[in-house]
Amino acid sequence: MLYYTTSLRLRHRRRSHSIGSLTLSRNQLEVIHSPIEGTLFLQGPAGSGKTTAGVGRLLHLLDAGIPAEKILILVPQRTLALPYYEALRQPDFPAGGTANIVTLGGLGQRLVELFWPMVAQLAGFAHPKKPPTFLTMETAQYFMARLVKPLLDQGYFESVHLDRNRLLSQVLDNLNKAAGVGFPYTSLAERLKKAWVGEPAQFHIYEQAQECAELFRQYCLKNNLLDFSLQLEVFVQHLWPSFLCRQYLFSTFRHLIYDNLEEDVPVVHDVIRQWLPHFDSALLINDSEGGFRSFLGADPQSGYSLSAASRQVVTFSGSWVTSPQLELSRQLLVDRLYRRRTIPVSSQILDVIQFAHQRFYPQMADWVAQQIAHLVHEQGVPPGEIAVLAPFMSDSLRFTLMDRLEAVQVPARSHRPSRSLREEPATNCLLTLAKLAHPAWKCDEIKALEVRYALMQAIAGLDLVRADLLAQIVFRERHSEQNLGSFDVLQADVQERITFSIGERYETLRNWLVEYRSHEPLELDIFLSRLFGEVLSQPAFGFHDQFDAATITARLIESIRKFRWGTATTATAGSEPVGQEYIRMVEEGVVAAQYLQTWMDIPEDTVLLAPAYTFLMANHPVAIQFWLDAGSSGWWERLYQPLTHPYVLSRNWAAGKTWTDIQEYQANQEAMVRLTSGLIRRCRSSIYICTTGLNEQGTEQRGPLLQAVQGILRNLSTAEGGPGE
């Protein structure tokens, strides 16, 4: 095996070729034009040009006459494939077929569906002659909730203080980890119990989680349902060993580009290791400082082991993104976090890292908004080159920042995967109107408050005061019909206060609902499609020219449609309508109407507000970053997960070994170093680190990140005044 190291230099680099507007270095060209045979393992930190080399390799394969459909581009998460999607969309992309960009989970689902008659009985499904139903995250939580509800009524998980949807998601997460790591799901509780050193009462929690997982798996096998864990298990344990399946894959895909392999689970690495000898060529790309998805089962050590199966290992160093001053700052911060003796501190770091302290949280939000306004309006920084990051992006923080930025005329967007559609005003408007249109569904009693906000969203120009006045008059709570009254019955002075133009729009909406109620009800997703297209998106209504509301509507409709498809096979005579069941589960918080927001349809030239890990997984560098609430322990501590454990349920943890505070501290330290280092490597110009005296809850905090920052500042002060530490 041949090893060699290359270095990308920001200055004096050789300019010899390009992809579009990107200039490539000699080192990248060597990777791109390497022989089309064997396996090449490319590693290096973020920003060193690995993915650009991967895109260049794709184009080189196509230039060499290889059919695009013979190329497999594998990524652990769809957002990481954006550079490849952009390459495929270029106008000069060769005509003909297109390369296959998938996750192994997506590829596994295709194969399970294709080979279902062959594998169904072997995998233990009760009805092998009936087609499978693939579950989304929502439908999986829905079925889990149905099965677990009687157990919750019996007192299961009484000592666990979590929202029900988070509790259910952790049970499903255990199943996913078992499938991704490759151990039997029946051993989950045993593994967790052996590692636990706390109160014995936790053992019962693990056993109850195990019982719920087994109950769910048995229900899936009985009803031909496949959640992500079962899809992966069926593919890895039954399809992949099959000669017929392997021959299909080996003949279909002859070339592989596997990017960000460090963010994938070990069983995927196992499959690729066995598959590599059958590819004509393979490029494996590894971020040497990655592993941000470890809480979801990602295993960088397992990914790196693929280098042993490679003909050649190439290492990129340096950065096309980060300046030397930022790289120096990164090294200083890592040293302080690990409490190592630091390299000499230079005042140059103040050119790229600025520190801002405010007493209270709202003052921090005000300062950030004003600073961004200064950067955008006075220094000409494009809004799309600014990211505002926090360990957690709460609803209050998101609203405050969006409001402040709107006030200073800076466009902004937020991306928070944990934020469900049901938290969006547009979603609440649509679901309230759906309940008004379907009185037979007997959902929870509609409140006048819901009607008020629904009317505000649905009718353009209707403010809070007039919406409240209108709702109090035209809608009566606890009325058997729960419908909307006519605007014509209002007294003349009230009509004038609300205005007749608003009244006309209200009557249009009300008449549409009345007309709909006189016919057979439609499926909820079809109803919302008609409501949006015929009323809400028209001029003078709230969703007209509101692209965010339109996007949310489209995602909600797709969420409902997938929910309907996923539950159709288990519906029985006399069961509740699917729309009624969907709304009920949303209101109970079981189905959060969560839907993966892609990064492709987000406006580019807007300030990004996001959790730090979400930004990292987008792998999109920006010029300027704001790190909010640096004193928060959220930069250091992992999420509260009483039903699971990302480190114990991994291949790197010896079975039977206990998890102590020492391991917890070390894991948190490594995670924070990986997080902060990854953020700096995705920054071109400068970082603003913001701290507050009191957090959102009004308590003082001194997290490890804040302590490290203060240590750097003390060293800087000492260096300027005399000898350092």
Side-chain angles (χ1 to χ4, degrees):
M1 186 187 304
L2 175 65
Y3 287 80
Y4 70 87
T5 300
T6 63
S7 177
L8 298 177
R9 302 184 183 279
L10 290 173
R11 299 178 181 177
H12 310 298
R13 62 172 180 255
R14 177 179 175 182
R15 298 169 180 256
S16 54
H17 196 58
S18 65
I19 299 176
S21 61
L22 295 178
T23 299
L24 301 177
S25 71
R26 175 182 59 83
N27 307 314
Q28 289 172 311
L29 290 172
E30 289 176 356
V31 171
I32 292 170
H33 297 294
S34 62
I36 305 178
E37 59 183 17
T39 301
L40 190 150
F41 189 92
L42 174 60
Q43 63 179 348
S48 58
K50 305 183 304 299
T51 296
T52 300
V55 173
R57 179 67 170 181
L58 168 64
L59 299 177
H60 175 66
L61 293 176
L62 296 172
D63 289 341
I66 295 171
E69 60 271 15
K70 293 293 183 182
I71 302 173
L72 176 65
I73 301 172
L74 191 64
V75 290
Q77 182 173 300
R78 286 178 57 196
T79 57
L80 296 171
L82 290 184
Y84 298 96
Y85 282 116
E86 291 172 358
L88 296 180
R89 292 200 302 265
Q90 295 303 312
D92 57 349
F93 188 81
T98 184
N100 293 270
I101 304 177
V102 296
T103 64
L104 194 73
L107 181 62
Q109 179 174 329
R110 294 184 196 176
L111 294 171
V112 169
E113 194 166 19
L114 180 63
F115 292 98
W116 177 253
M118 181 184 78
V119 78
Q121 188 170 3
L122 184 64
F125 288 93
H127 306 285
K129 295 183 179 180
K130 294 182 178 180
T133 298
F134 297 99
L135 302 180
T136 64
M137 177 176 61
E138 290 181 340
T139 49
Q141 285 196 4
Y142 166 72
F143 286 115
M144 178 72 79
R146 281 176 49 177
L147 296 169
V148 171
K149 189 176 187 305
L151 300 178
L152 295 176
D153 294 339
Q154 295 174 25
Y156 276 47
F157 305 116
E158 277 187 329
S159 60
V160 178
H161 303 289
L162 280 177
D163 293 337
R164 197 197 300 189
N165 66 318
R166 285 191 60 199
L167 187 148
L168 299 177
S169 68
Q170 289 191 24
V171 177
L172 292 170
D173 188 48
N174 278 345
L175 287 168
N176 294 341
K177 285 188 171 68
V181 175
F183 62 84
Y185 72 92
T186 52
S187 66
L188 282 163
E190 194 63 27
R191 287 172 172 261
L192 292 168
K193 285 160 62 177
K194 287 182 177 179
W196 179 253
V197 295
E199 294 293 330
Q202 182 67 24
F203 290 170
H204 299 296
I205 301 299
Y206 292 145
E207 290 167 356
Q208 290 168 359
Q210 178 76 62
E211 184 178 348
C212 293
E214 293 180 5
L215 193 64
F216 178 73
R217 176 58 59 84
Q218 293 164 8
Y219 184 83
C220 287
L221 293 173
K222 182 180 178 181
N223 294 277
N224 285 18
L225 304 175
L226 290 95
D227 68 320
F228 174 78
S229 66
L230 192 50
Q231 291 174 38
L232 195 57
E233 283 189 15
V234 170
F235 172 71
V236 172
Q237 297 178 12
H238 301 288
L239 280 178
W240 176 246
S242 163
F243 173 80
L244 185 61
C245 178
R246 287 198 179 201
Q247 286 301 110
Y248 171 79
L249 289 172
F250 296 165
S251 61
T252 302
F253 304 114
R254 302 303 305 159
H255 302 269
L256 171 69
I257 298 175
Y258 186 10
D259 206 342
N260 287 107
L261 58 86
E262 78 286 344
E263 302 297 343
D264 230 331
V265 293
V267 295
V268 178
H269 302 145
D270 296 342
V271 169
I272 296 301
R273 185 178 293 105
Q274 298 173 40
W275 197 348
L276 282 177
H278 302 277
F279 284 110
D280 292 338
S281 73
L283 174 61
L284 309 181
I285 302 176
N286 176 65
D287 185 342
S288 55
E289 297 178 358
F292 306 118
R293 281 164 38 101
S294 59
F295 64 97
L296 293 176
D299 193 333
Q301 295 181 34
S302 172
Y304 181 75
S305 68
L306 291 174
S307 62
S310 303
R311 171 182 57 84
Q312 190 175 354
V313 176
V314 179
T315 301
F316 281 180
S317 61
S319 176
W320 294 84
V321 176
T322 306
S323 66
Q325 293 89 344
L326 274 173
E327 175 59 25
L328 173 63
S329 303
R330 188 191 68 80
Q331 295 175 15
L332 283 171
L333 185 58
V334 169
D335 286 342
R336 291 303 308 186
L337 291 172
Y338 278 137
R339 301 181 184 277
R340 298 193 294 237
R341 185 174 182 83
T342 63
I343 59 178
V345 180
S346 168
S347 60
Q348 290 182 350
I349 69 168
L350 295 180
D351 296 334
V352 293
I353 294 186
Q354 300 186 35
F355 306 93
H357 177 79
Q358 307 296 329
R359 175 63 175 165
F360 299 109
Y361 220 79
Q363 292 176 332
M364 179 187 69
D366 291 337
W367 183 87
V368 169
Q370 292 299 325
Q371 190 66 35
I372 291 175
H374 174 76
L375 291 169
V376 172
H377 298 314
E378 298 185 27
Q379 296 189 16
V381 178
E385 287 293 331
I386 301 174
V388 181
L389 310 172
F392 309 108
M393 187 64 65
S394 66
D395 286 335
S396 59
L397 177 59
R398 173 185 173 275
F399 174 81
T400 301
L401 289 172
M402 294 286 283
D403 181 66
R404 301 293 198 277
L405 291 173
E406 183 180 0
V408 294
Q409 299 180 341
V410 174
R413 71 187 191 272
S414 67
H415 186 93
R416 195 187 78 186
S418 62
R419 180 177 171 83
S420 63
L421 290 176
R422 72 188 180 107
E423 296 171 345
E424 300 289 349
T427 301
N428 292 323
C429 167
L430 292 167
L431 295 183
T432 299
L433 295 176
K435 289 193 289 184
L436 288 169
H438 300 88
W441 282 0
K442 295 182 170 54
C443 298
D444 287 349
E445 187 177 275
I446 305 173
K447 305 295 184 184
L449 184 66
E450 297 177 66
V451 176
R452 179 180 73 184
Y453 284 112
L455 293 176
M456 284 180 61
Q457 292 293 318
I459 300 174
L462 183 57
D463 57 58
L464 177 63
V465 175
R466 289 184 292 175
D468 183 66
L469 177 62
L470 181 60
Q472 288 184 29
I473 299 174
V474 301
F475 180 78
R476 295 183 180 179
E477 293 184 14
R478 302 183 181 85
H479 193 276
S480 58
E481 289 294 326
Q482 285 218 310
N483 57 4
L484 297 175
S486 172
F487 184 79
D488 296 335
V489 302
L490 272 64
Q491 295 181 2
D493 60 330
V494 176
Q495 289 180 335
E496 290 179 0
R497 287 183 60 188
I498 296 175
T499 73
F500 289 98
S501 62
I502 294 292
E504 182 181 4
R505 300 170 205 169
Y506 167 76
E507 278 298 300
T508 301
L509 174 62
R510 189 187 73 87
N511 290 334
W512 190 94
L513 293 174
V514 170
E515 174 66 19
Y516 172 82
R517 289 173 63 164
S518 65
H519 298 85
E520 284 292 320
L522 303 172
E523 296 291 353
L524 180 57
D525 53 311
I526 300 174
F527 163 79
L528 292 180
S529 297
R530 284 192 54 195
L531 176 63
F532 175 81
E534 297 176 17
V535 183
L536 298 181
S537 63
Q538 299 302 311
F541 286 91
F543 290 24
H544 181 67
D545 283 344
Q546 297 296 319
F547 300 111
D548 288 342
T551 301
I552 291 168
T553 303
R555 293 192 183 119
L556 179 63
I557 290 171
E558 186 165 355
S559 170
I560 297 168
R561 184 179 297 121
K562 289 183 176 180
F563 183 85
R564 174 162 60 89
W565 290 345
T567 58
T569 56
T570 60
T572 58
S575 59
E576 295 179 342
V578 175
Q580 176 182 348
E581 185 73 357
Y582 183 89
I583 291 177
R584 183 176 65 82
M585 299 302 280
V586 168
E587 290 175 340
E588 291 180 1
V590 175
V591 175
Q594 291 176 325
Y595 192 79
L596 177 64
Q597 181 182 9
T598 66
W599 291 82
M600 297 180 184
D601 56 3
I602 297 177
E604 293 184 0
D605 200 22
T606 54
V607 175
L608 172 66
L609 314 178
Y613 277 108
T614 301
F615 173 79
L616 286 176
M617 290 311 301
N619 202 23
H620 181 71
V622 295
I624 296 172
Q625 296 176 8
F626 287 81
W627 296 4
L628 304 188
D629 203 11
S632 170
S633 59
W635 290 94
W636 185 75
E637 289 179 338
R638 63 187 178 92
L639 291 172
Y640 173 59
Q641 294 179 301
L643 273 62
T644 186
H645 200 295
Y647 298 104
V648 171
L649 300 180
S650 74
R651 286 190 184 176
N652 302 316
W653 189 254
K657 184 180 178 181
T658 56
W659 181 267
T660 66
D661 289 343
I662 295 176
Q663 283 83 24
E664 184 74 20
Y665 176 83
Q666 292 174 342
N668 287 341
Q669 284 289 98
E670 292 172 1
M672 186 168 65
V673 168
R674 192 161 51 238
L675 171 63
T676 53
S677 183
L679 292 177
I680 294 176
R681 287 196 181 277
R682 289 163 177 82
C683 183
R684 298 190 186 94
S685 178
S686 59
I687 297 173
Y688 295 81
I689 299 180
C690 307
T691 63
T692 60
L694 302 175
N695 63 11
E696 282 186 289
Q697 290 74 36
T699 59
E700 188 175 359
Q701 50 190 8
R702 287 181 51 81
L705 177 58
L706 176 60
Q707 295 177 33
V709 169
Q710 290 175 332
I712 293 175
L713 291 175
R714 284 196 300 270
N715 284 1
L716 181 60
S717 176
T718 303
E720 291 178 344
E725 290 183 357

